[in-house]
Amino acid sequence: MAPPRIVHDEENAASADEGSPTSKRPRSDVRFPLSRCELVAAIAVFLTFIIGILSIFSTMPKDEYEKILRLPRSLSDLRILKENIAVYATDYQANFMLGYCSVYIFMQTFMIPGTIFMSLLAGALFGVCKGIILVVFTATAGASSCYFLSKIIGRPLAGWLWPEKLRFFQAEIAKRREKLLNYMLFLRITPTLPNTFINLASPIVDIPFHIFFFATLFGLIPASFITVRAGLALGDLKSLRDLYDFKTMVVLFLIGSVAIFPSIFKRKRTYE
């Protein structure tokens, strides 16, 4: 009978060792934060940024670097940049657009202020139609890139910068899971929450990427139209506040209300 007892004791020892803190081993089921599709999209955004930057340096004379390679911080800076870059943007349009996209995506990814000046520049150089397409594409790509980055390292940053706002956002998302796309469209169309916060907080509160992407793609169109159209009259623009006056804000909230109406209507019928 001794051998079975030894075996039994060894099994108990093994089970005890498994439960002890010192016997913990790395888990093999830990998943990478990004899915396969998200990883492909992130790589595509990164490559767009790299190719765009290289295209600028490869076609631009070195004596033009100081005039063109600068980020505007005011309307006066933007007017000077527009004058300096107009000829280059016409002669090397494809290269300029790649460079423009890469800079815009970089600014959105790392939450660098000033993308509104880039939107105004697109309107001043390319007009309304082409400017809106350019701005909406780059803004969506940049927001997506910020989403991917936040999914990996954004939780402590968002909790430090906006703790109360993050809790509020998480509670609102939890209440609107069934009509999440409508709610995200409302947030993108209206200035209820800053776009920078939405980009950073969305993966933290478990908003699926496909909902985030389509809400960004279509929700940014109204505001982009306002900004790009204002770029046509860049010389007459006195302040950024002129872009979003009371009338414009009312129009944006009306458009946003159309997006969120199905969610409100369904909730009312549920309560009834």
Side-chain angles (χ1 to χ4, degrees):
M1 299 297 292
R5 187 181 300 115
I6 293 172
V7 173
H8 183 67
D9 292 341
E10 288 177 352
E11 290 176 352
N12 289 338
S15 61
D17 288 341
E18 288 177 359
S20 64
T22 56
S23 65
K24 289 183 178 179
R25 298 175 181 176
R27 293 176 58 186
S28 59
D29 60 343
V30 177
R31 296 176 65 250
F32 186 68
L34 301 182
S35 67
R36 184 177 300 177
C37 292
E38 291 172 347
L39 183 61
V40 170
I43 293 173
V45 170
F46 177 76
L47 290 177
T48 300
F49 170 72
I50 296 298
I51 293 172
I53 291 295
L54 291 177
S55 70
I56 290 182
F57 279 94
S58 64
T59 58
M60 187 171 55
K62 291 184 178 180
D63 56 353
E64 298 291 325
Y65 284 177
E66 185 178 351
K67 296 180 180 179
I68 295 178
L69 294 179
R70 59 172 60 190
L71 294 178
R73 294 299 179 189
S74 65
L75 287 175
S76 58
D77 289 346
L78 183 61
R79 294 186 186 101
I80 295 173
L81 178 62
K82 188 253 179 180
E83 295 299 325
N84 291 332
I85 211 170
V87 175
Y88 176 82
T90 302
D91 294 343
Y92 303 96
Q93 190 172 104
N95 299 81
F96 174 78
M97 284 189 173
L98 279 173
Y100 176 94
C101 291
S102 62
V103 172
Y104 203 121
I105 291 169
F106 177 80
M107 294 176 70
Q108 284 275 68
T109 301
F110 297 100
M111 299 175 290
I112 300 173
T115 53
I116 190 170
F117 295 115
M118 300 292 289
S119 300
L120 288 168
L121 182 63
L125 292 175
F126 301 113
V128 175
C129 293
K130 191 181 293 186
I132 289 177
I133 294 173
L134 194 61
V135 168
V136 171
F137 167 76
T138 50
T140 303
S144 300
S145 182
C146 185
Y147 178 100
F148 301 142
L149 184 65
S150 177
K151 198 166 186 178
I152 299 174
I153 61 172
R155 187 176 295 273
L157 181 60
W160 176 61
L161 290 175
W162 305 290
E164 296 295 331
K165 193 176 292 185
L166 186 61
R167 282 192 288 269
F168 167 79
F169 190 40
Q170 192 162 21
E172 292 298 309
I173 293 298
K175 292 187 295 185
R176 295 175 168 85
R177 283 290 174 188
E178 294 184 2
K179 293 289 183 179
L180 192 53
L181 179 59
N182 299 84
Y183 181 61
M184 289 297 294
L185 277 170
F186 173 79
L187 293 181
R188 284 302 194 187
I189 294 171
T190 64
T192 306
L193 289 174
N195 281 326
T196 300
F197 170 78
I198 296 173
N199 297 342
L200 191 65
S202 290
I204 298 173
V205 298
D206 298 324
I207 295 175
F209 175 68
H210 68 279
I211 290 179
F212 175 88
F213 176 82
F214 286 111
T216 303
L217 181 65
F218 295 105
L220 291 181
I221 292 176
S224 298
F225 173 78
I226 293 170
T227 309
V228 170
R229 190 169 179 272
L232 295 175
L234 187 59
D236 299 329
L237 193 63
K238 297 179 181 179
S239 172
L240 292 179
R241 294 180 180 179
D242 297 340
L243 290 174
Y244 297 99
D245 55 12
F246 178 77
K247 182 179 178 181
T248 302
M249 298 290 282
V250 170
V251 171
L252 289 177
F253 270 98
L254 287 175
I255 298 173
S257 299
V258 174
I260 205 174
F261 179 76
S263 178
I264 298 174
F265 182 71
K266 183 174 182 179
R267 185 185 300 178
K268 183 179 178 182
R269 290 191 64 181
T270 302
Y271 289 150
E272 290 176 354

